[in-house]
Amino acid sequence: MLRDMSDNTENSSSEAANGSSVNEDNERDHPDGEALSLPSSLAGSGALDRLVETARDYARAAASENTLKAYAKDWTHFARWCRMKGAEPLPPSPEIIGLYLADLASGSGPSPSQAASRPLSVSTIDRRLSGLAWNYAQRGFTLDRKNRHIATVLAGIKRKHARPPVQKQAILAEDILAMVATLPYDLRGLRDRAILLLGYAGGLRRSEIVSLDVHKDDTPDFGGWIEIFDKGALLTLNAKTGWREVEIGRGSKDQTCPVHAVEQWLHFAKIDFGPVFVGTSRDGKRASETRLNDKHVARLIKRTVLDARIRSELPEKERLALFSGHSLRAGLASSAEVDERYVQKQLGHASAEMTRRYQRRRDRFRVNLTKAAGL
């Protein structure tokens, strides 16, 4: 269905291993718009042909770019595995997929001549299965995840290999203050200070931060916009669960106020249209028109964590592994001393249980059931 569902690297390696044609594999594995083709009785209608392209564009927008890339790699890996085992990826076979999941969990090599690969985590295997289900749906097939050949193997993998989730460490209030204190007051420093403070106060994902525009519909790829008022800023975001609003009030002082930081950045960068957060020139004196990549947020967090000497008792490699873009969201959930429902709304979670997963220290032992039970 989607033309960009191929991975050149994987295809090249599988071609070398099997001597097969990459083009032939692509024709078989990635049908050109088959799921959105017209019925034969309507073929040749120019107006409908144009609507097919429009429908394909909407189909691409159903998932984020990163998700589509991950699903494309999932399918490429599975198709290559099938060829290595002498099987066919189409139509879906629950028996073959069950064997594939077992192979991922055990870490056995794709062929006797190759070394064993590293076993994948349960969460990665589950994500691979979701990727296969999505890819089969685009090709007009249905993958029944409840089929016993899939469900029982997956249940066994989870029972035998599941581990407690590895959570990134939360950036707490004292941490974020130390991190922004390491930034200079040049143009690049103003931008990065606004990113950290806005992301922390809003509990934002890194993709949500960089997708902001100054106004609604400033750019085709915008993921939200920001409105600044006397009492704070209102962000309207196109998040995973749909459009939502995030209120960010002004801080107690300008040095740590996220709204003031954004105002300073927009003013000195002379930005009044388009993306809020853009790159800067090499000398740090001019803002470009190019939207920042969300990876900049992750790199910024890791760099300022090191500069602020947070968790300095650990080796640098371990410190870097502890923190990521999600550390900002976990920090807000763990630090905000307000009713949990307000934190849940700010993070855009559908359930309080999801919000509690982000809380690293808050609410522990708040309710003492031991005493309540009379002990």
Side-chain angles (χ1 to χ4, degrees), residues 177-197:
L177 294 179
M179 290 163 65
V180 298
T182 67
L183 297 171
Y185 280 89
D186 59 5
L187 197 59
R188 189 177 293 121
L190 290 177
R191 178 199 65 194
D192 290 345
R193 183 175 286 100
I195 287 174
L196 289 177
L197 291 174

Side-chain angles (χ1 to χ4, degrees), residues 233-245:
L234 178 65
L235 311 184
T236 305
L237 301 171
N238 188 6
K240 286 185 176 181
T241 55
W243 287 98
R244 66 186 180 97
E245 292 184 343

Side-chain angles (χ1 to χ4, degrees), residues 59 74 89 99 127 139 168 184 192 250 268 351 357 371-372:
D74 292 340
L99 295 176
R127 206 292 316 285
R139 290 160 173 79
K168 294 298 182 179
D192 290 345
R250 292 188 180 271
F268 287 103
S351 68
R357 295 184 189 179
K371 290 183 178 180

